[in-house]
Structures are given as structure tokens and as C-alpha cells.
Amino acid sequence: LYAFSMQNFNRPKMEFNYLMKVFRDMFSGEKNIKKLHKNKIKVKFIGRIHLFPKDVYELMKKLEEDTKEYSDYKINFAMAYGGREEIIDGIKKIGRDIEDGKINPKDIDEKTFERFLYMDSEPDLIIRTGGDHRISNFLAWQGVYSEFIFLEKTWPEFEKDDLIACIEDFANRERRFGR
């Protein structure tokens, strides 16, 4: 879920504060926490989450810690995220490992690079709500072979029937992976 982009830090203060309240409520709400444990859902936050207010950051880290052993389902929240920023951060990490002698630059390939990204898996399907027909700096590396569905509905309007329709659409596609 692309929940908060790097550019969202530039929102008006009142709007930013409201979103932080939403995150505080969502990441600490007893009902939400019970659902995660009941369904054994592993939570991961990707992005520059250290940029959030300390209490929001700590709630994120606690959720990751409390659900780290689960493997039935996984939900990734892209928070303080940008695809370009992720690639730059990955390059910086590789640079440090080269300086430390842990990696030989000649050994760097796509698989090596993916280890340095926030998320090393590639989604099969990306659903873009809100009527825009662009990826908006989301999973610039990982989304190269993802199937996309663009919906006019905004995220708050997105319902279970919409998800089912998207999955059915995806199931009927022929995936070619560049072939």
C-alpha cells in the first residue's frame, strides 16, 4: 500500500497532522492489531520511515517486530517512500559495501542490487486508484513487469468488490515478462 510518499511531507501542516493521527490510530488500534495476529499477517514498512514523528516511527517498528514471525500473509506499507529515493538509497548502501570491501563492483548485477532495496520482491499486480494513469514514483524498480489496473475511484472508495474485479481482470491476462 502506497500510504505516504516523500512528497507528502510537503502537505499543509494541518493536513500532515491529520494524516499522522490517522497513522497513529491505524497502527495502534486494538481492532487492527487483533486482525493482524488472528490472520498471521506480517507487516513491513518500506521507505525512509525514520523521517516520521518519533511516536509514529516507534509504532511502525513495534508492528514489524510483533508480526515478524508470521508468514501466511504479508502487507507492505510504503511510507515516506519514493521509487527514485529507494534506488538512490540502494546505490549509497552498495557504495558503502564497496568501500568496506564487502562487494566487488564487478560482481554487481540485478540480483545483487535488489538486496539493497527496501523491498526485494516484485508485485504481480499494482492497482492505482484516483484516476491517474501513472505510477507516481511507486516501485520504480520492482514494478517493471507488474500488471497495472487504473481505477477512477479513490482509495477510500475502494471496496471488496473492486478488489475481486481487479483480481479477476489480472487472472485473465497473459503475462509475457518482456517476451
Side-chain angles (χ1 to χ4, degrees), residues 22-135:
V22 168
F23 295 144
R24 285 179 186 101
D25 294 345
M26 184 186 335
F27 301 148
S28 65
E30 190 175 323
K31 182 179 175 185
N32 294 335
I33 305 299
K34 282 183 180 181
K35 280 184 183 179
L36 292 172
H37 292 298
K38 178 183 175 207
N39 295 297
K40 298 186 186 315
I41 300 171
K42 181 177 186 171
V43 175
K44 181 170 167 80
F45 293 94
I46 62 171
R48 296 176 176 174
I49 63 171
H50 65 280
L51 297 175
F52 280 97
K54 185 178 180 193
D55 64 321
V56 175
Y57 171 80
E58 288 173 355
L59 287 170
M60 292 180 198
K61 296 310 285 180
K62 181 170 179 11
L63 266 179
E64 284 185 330
E65 180 63 28
D66 291 350
T67 63
K68 71 180 181 186
E69 301 300 324
Y70 296 146
S71 59
D72 289 2
Y73 301 98
K74 184 176 184 180
I75 186 166
N76 294 299
F77 287 93
M79 306 279 294
Y81 178 84
R84 288 180 173 179
E85 290 83 356
E86 177 179 27
I87 290 169
I88 295 297
D89 288 351
I91 291 168
K92 288 177 181 178
K93 290 177 194 173
I94 286 175
R96 284 191 293 273
D97 277 8
I98 290 170
E99 285 178 352
D100 294 343
K102 296 177 182 176
I103 293 179
N104 182 333
K106 294 177 184 172
D107 296 332
I108 298 173
D109 58 14
E110 288 183 18
K111 287 292 176 202
T112 303
F113 183 66
E114 287 171 356
R115 291 192 341 246
F116 291 87
L117 296 174
Y118 304 145
M119 188 175 90
D120 61 2
S121 60
E122 298 176 0
D124 293 316
L125 173 64
I126 296 176
I127 302 166
R128 171 66 162 139
T129 59
D132 292 317
H133 291 230
R134 64 179 191 274
I135 62 170

